[in-house]
Amino acid sequence: MYRYDEFDAGFVRERVALFRDQVQRRIDGSLTEDEFKPLRLKNGVYLQLHAYMLRVAIPYGTLSSVQLRQLALIGERYDRGYGHLTTRQNIQFNWPKLRDVPDILDLLADVEMHCIQTSGNCIRNVTADHFAGVAADEWIDPRPVCELIRQWSTAHPEFSYLPRKFKIAVTGASHDRAVVKAHDIGLRIVRHPDTGAHGFEVSVGGGLGRTPMIGKVIRDFLPQEELLAYLEAVMRVYNLEGRRDNKYKARIKILVHETGTEALKARIEHEFAQLDGPSINADPEELARIAAYFAPPHYEELPAVSARLEAAKSANPVFADWIDTNGFAHKVAGYRAITISLKGIGEIPGDITSAQMRQVADLADRYSLSEIRVSHNQNLILPNVKNDDLFALWQGLVEAGLATANVGLITDIIACPGLDYCALATARSIPIAQAIAKRFADPARQREIGPLNLNISGCINACGHHHVGQIGILGLEKRGQESYQITLGGDPTEQAAIGEIVGPGLTAEAVPDAIERLVEVYLEARQVGETFIDTFRRIGIGPFKLAFQHNLEGADHVA
Amino acid sequence: MSATKRPPLPVILLANHFLDGEVVFWSGQGWSRNPQEAQTASTQAEADVLEEAGRLAFARAEVVDAALIDVSLSADGQPVPNHFRERFKISGPSVRTDLGKQAEFAKDQAKG
């Protein structure tokens, strides 16, 4: 893991002191609310429906057990004993008092964490494949690049007042688990077809929100040493030409759309050619210094098949199902990456109590080289577990109430906080997720349905990624009540796609039945080996629309 | 502020406490954390008084996001926001009934 150097540590402490002073000046009246609000937002402090909310950055979703214990302490001492993991691999506390935030920031700084750039019109937390460094299908760990971008973008004077927020994601694997095509800039680490050298495929203008767009590739191959200068060229063009007259048209996706991909690409290339690359690009020594922090840990030489694991699986079918569902192929023989589902049936997606954080930290120390990941799917991952230790780990997770075997299945639902917490929301998300999870609670039925991602957002801003859910649900307000619009066929992977609306909005009560009917259409139509998205692509939305309409007939479901 | 921008009467004044973030209600004497102590304004003149209280408290950095909220009166005379957003705001997360005002003031309501 990356460790702060003297500069990082000093910078973060200075920011805490600065914010402490800003809060004090707001209290004594030296700052007006209009002056103070952007300052608190720069430190991740939002005002939500019931209270302030503090968003803590977890760079590229990597956490140490020490950091997770500190988050547990903060949750317990300054919040209501829990936190909420977000789709940007961050964690949010829902009830902090503004007067306590400077002390919370100091506790975060103690473990090399902060809330900088988790809000505001700047480059936000850089996200990555949550299996970075361990996935069997990965050939380059994207985290050194993420860390380089984090350092370059932190408090970058030119890019601190962008037209709008800016999100970057990186993957180094063949399968995209970081939704890179739905980012302002998406980077896929690729190999040059002729030279074999590493570089990036660069996409721009992806994004969800009220105008969902899939990113357009503007460079098939960018040599890795030229990354920062190229990013600077993109950012500079966006900063100059992105719209500032209308908040809803200010993201780079609108600039790409209005300018045209080819014209914008030419504009960026022109800017890139003007820049003095060597003065911007990272020194190879600095790159090597960063990369050294992400060097693979010492793995034991183990057989690919563990007799102990196989015996435990045979003796305990519930454990076997959990391994098959929540286990992920590791690049080193004898190890697995394990996803800890925070989607217990009827629970709040992404919520974790302080007690559970400590239990996970202890299990990470014992079984996963003290490392934990946060996924954009709002789950936790123990990336380095020996096959021999899996049964003991599972027993520990059962004890913590964290052994739900549903990763990638219909109850592994992404849901934003919605109107239960969020001041921007137009409808609730969490109760919809809970109702659907309860409806599909039977583990055998979930496995029968197979891989299916269902995402829910409580407003058009799409924090719950509903556009890229194979089933997406968007909560809106219609005529004074909550109304839910269902989309189908979204895809967050390398075949990224935006879902299509299947029919009119429904009342909350009607949603589980409608989902059930849509799933039945798939089950009736699927051919051997097909998943939901395969069947959807083969038969199209038509049969789903018909069934959806039929389900509505005679019922008072439309909202 | 022009009266035309106001929600329909009756209204209450709610805000978030500046230092705590907690939802607070104007009681007539000051800010209360208890929704049952919210003062209801039934005339434009009464609403003017609430609005002015919110403006002054904002200027003194006591509260932020002060707003008049249109309500209906329940059988026992308690103001209930007409919009579901504010109903959540004055009770707490519907998925965590152990938290927020719904938990803290439920007993009083039962007594009440």
Side-chain angles (χ1 to χ4, degrees):
Chain A
M1 266 186 73
Y2 184 72
R3 300 299 312 265
Y4 280 9
D5 61 15
E6 230 169 87
F7 173 82
D8 297 317
F11 170 73
V12 170
R13 286 289 179 198
E14 261 174 45
R15 279 288 296 256
V16 178
L18 204 61
F19 188 59
R20 191 180 290 280
D21 181 58
Q22 288 159 348
V23 173
Q24 194 48 50
R25 284 191 289 145
R26 176 67 189 116
I27 293 169
D28 71 23
S30 318
L31 290 174
T32 66
E33 183 63 16
D34 284 348
E35 288 166 331
F36 177 72
K37 190 176 170 183
L39 299 173
R40 75 162 156 76
L41 288 172
K42 277 180 182 296
N43 290 281
V45 187
Y46 289 71
L47 182 62
Q48 295 290 23
L49 214 54
H50 312 297
Y52 286 104
M53 178 271 276
L54 182 67
R55 184 179 292 155
V56 182
I58 301 177
Y60 34 88
T62 296
L63 272 177
S64 70
S65 56
V66 172
Q67 289 173 324
L68 189 55
R69 281 193 194 93
Q70 194 80 332
L71 294 171
L73 176 75
I74 290 167
E76 208 166 62
R77 188 180 292 174
Y78 294 108
D79 209 84
R80 305 287 167 93
Y82 68 104
H84 175 76
L85 299 173
T86 79
T87 50
R88 282 215 77 63
Q89 300 179 301
N90 291 325
I91 189 165
Q92 295 178 175
F93 291 107
N94 291 310
W95 305 92
K97 294 181 182 347
L98 179 63
R99 65 173 100 228
D100 293 332
V101 170
D103 292 339
I104 298 173
L105 296 181
D106 260 329
L107 282 176
L108 290 171
D110 288 346
V111 294
E112 305 185 352
M113 296 184 85
H114 60 72
C115 301
I116 299 165
Q117 290 178 207
T118 59
S119 173
N121 295 337
C122 55
I123 299 174
R124 302 288 189 88
N125 186 37
V126 179
T127 51
D129 182 352
H130 41 265
F131 293 125
V134 300
D137 72 333
E138 175 191 278
W139 46 292
I140 297 274
D141 185 343
R143 291 174 302 163
V145 169
C146 294
E147 177 56 30
L148 179 71
I149 298 171
R150 187 184 75 81
Q151 295 191 15
W152 162 80
S153 64
T154 299
H156 194 303
E158 190 176 335
F159 307 133
S160 294
Y161 295 92
L162 295 168
R164 198 76 178 87
K165 60 185 160 186
F166 204 93
K167 299 176 181 178
I168 302 176
V170 191
T171 179
S174 56
H175 181 58
D176 177 11
R177 289 173 288 265
V179 208
V180 300
K181 287 287 172 67
H183 280 75
D184 294 282
I185 291 180
L187 298 172
R188 281 182 58 226
I189 303 177
V190 292
R191 188 177 283 162
H192 194 279
D194 303 327
T195 66
H198 300 152
F200 301 97
E201 179 200 85
V202 184
S203 306
V204 296
L208 302 175
R210 71 179 56 215
T211 319
M213 301 265 191
I214 299 300
K216 315 289 186 299
V217 175
I218 55 164
R219 260 287 187 132
D220 294 322
F221 187 84
L222 176 75
Q224 63 166 353
E225 58 278 11
E226 294 176 27
L227 176 67
L228 292 187
Y230 195 81
L231 290 181
E232 196 142 324
V234 176
M235 298 308 300
R236 188 166 283 187
V237 170
Y238 169 56
N239 208 12
L240 287 168
E241 299 179 12
R243 287 180 61 171
R244 290 174 188 266
D245 61 317
N246 182 342
K247 177 181 175 183
Y248 303 119
K249 294 184 185 294
R251 296 286 289 269
I252 195 173
K253 62 191 173 189
I254 303 295
L255 181 66
V256 174
H257 182 69
E258 290 183 350
T259 312
T261 307
E262 285 310 308
L264 193 74
K265 181 178 163 179
R267 180 74 190 81
I268 290 166
E269 291 292 340
H270 176 76
E271 190 68 38
F272 181 55
Q274 303 295 308
L275 288 171
D276 177 22
S279 73
I280 299 165
N281 289 315
D283 196 319
E285 277 177 31
E286 175 60 8
L287 262 179
R289 184 187 75 85
I290 292 173
Y293 287 107
F294 299 94
H298 174 72
Y299 290 113
E300 292 174 32
E301 266 190 46
L302 298 168
V305 177
S306 155
R308 195 196 289 185
L309 170 63
E310 294 312 317
K313 280 175 79 170
S314 310
N316 192 326
V318 178
F319 167 66
D321 287 341
W322 176 79
I323 282 292
D324 292 343
T325 312
N326 294 29
F328 185 79
H330 200 288
K331 61 169 67 167
V332 177
Y335 287 82
R336 258 192 184 74
I338 290 295
T339 301
I340 300 172
S341 169
L342 299 182
K343 314 291 177 65
I345 303 302
E347 304 282 337
I348 297 174
D351 273 15
I352 179 167
T353 67
S354 287
Q356 288 173 323
M357 289 184 218
R358 290 202 179 92
Q359 284 166 303
V360 171
D362 290 348
L363 291 169
D365 281 343
R366 214 170 306 150
Y367 302 118
S368 184
L369 306 171
S370 301
E371 199 180 309
I372 302 114
R373 307 287 178 78
V374 178
S375 73
H376 80 270
N377 315 75
Q378 303 174 289
N379 290 318
L380 289 176
I381 283 135
L382 297 181
N384 293 301
V385 186
K386 283 190 249 178
N387 284 338
D388 282 353
D389 290 338
L390 285 169
F391 188 66
L393 168 67
W394 178 73
Q395 288 175 310
L397 289 171
V398 169
E399 210 171 290
L402 292 172
T404 308
N406 63 350
V407 171
L409 302 179
I410 190 168
T411 61
D412 182 9
I413 297 170
I414 294 179
C416 71
L419 197 51
D420 280 301
Y421 292 98
C422 179
L424 297 175
T426 43
R428 288 174 294 169
S429 307
I430 297 166
I432 305 299
Q434 291 172 319
I436 295 169
K438 284 179 188 161
R439 178 65 65 94
F440 290 93
D442 176 11
R445 189 174 176 214
Q446 290 183 56
R447 282 195 301 280
E448 161 66 12
I449 294 165
L452 202 171
N453 77 314
L454 193 157
N455 299 349
I456 308 176
S457 303
C459 82
I460 202 160
N461 293 307
C463 294
H465 291 194
H466 66 277
H467 296 296
V468 290
Q470 291 165 4
I471 298 178
I473 302 177
L474 166 63
L476 295 166
E477 179 191 340
K478 251 190 196 170
R479 294 186 290 276
Q481 64 169 324
E482 293 164 293
S483 167
Y484 295 90
Q485 190 179 72
I486 299 177
T487 50
L488 295 177
D491 187 338
T493 72
E494 56 278 10
Q495 281 107 37
I498 305 293
E500 300 170 57
I501 295 172
V502 74
L506 302 177
T507 61
E509 297 70 32
V511 171
D513 275 346
I515 301 299
E516 186 137 28
R517 192 65 205 100
L518 294 169
V519 168
E520 278 166 14
V521 171
Y522 147 64
L523 290 175
E524 284 158 16
R526 81 167 159 190
Q527 295 176 353
V528 178
E530 278 187 342
T531 63
F532 179 87
I533 193 72
D534 298 331
T535 303
F536 177 86
R537 290 205 170 121
R538 181 171 53 78
I539 68 176
I541 199 166
F544 293 95
K545 273 189 170 171
L546 270 178
F548 188 85
Q549 281 298 343
H550 184 69
N551 188 52
L552 291 181
E553 278 164 24
D556 187 21
H557 288 154
V558 181
Chain B
M1 196 187 284
S2 100
T4 54
K5 284 185 183 167
R6 280 203 189 136
L9 295 168
V11 293
I12 60 172
L13 176 65
L14 64 77
N16 291 82
H17 188 270
F18 166 65
L19 277 175
D20 291 348
E22 186 169 349
V23 178
V24 287
F25 308 85
W26 183 255
S27 71
Q29 273 78 50
W31 295 98
S32 170
R33 296 167 52 251
N34 185 347
Q36 291 153 49
E37 292 177 6
Q39 186 183 45
T40 307
S42 305
T43 66
Q44 289 297 344
E46 287 170 354
D48 285 344
V49 175
L50 290 193
E51 200 166 67
E52 181 63 5
R55 200 186 59 76
L56 289 174
F58 176 75
R60 287 195 299 267
E62 288 173 9
V63 300
V64 288
D65 282 11
L68 294 178
I69 300 301
D70 60 305
V71 295
S72 299
L73 297 181
S74 65
D76 59 356
Q78 285 297 316
V80 179
N82 290 331
H83 195 281
F84 59 88
R85 181 182 188 274
E86 275 70 35
R87 287 203 290 275
F88 291 127
K89 183 158 178 149
I90 71 164
S91 47
S94 70
V95 292
R96 286 295 302 265
T97 50
D98 58 323
L99 297 176
K101 298 186 184 300
Q102 56 199 353
E104 194 177 346
F105 296 105
K107 261 188 215 153
D108 294 358
Q109 276 165 353
K111 271 187 238 160

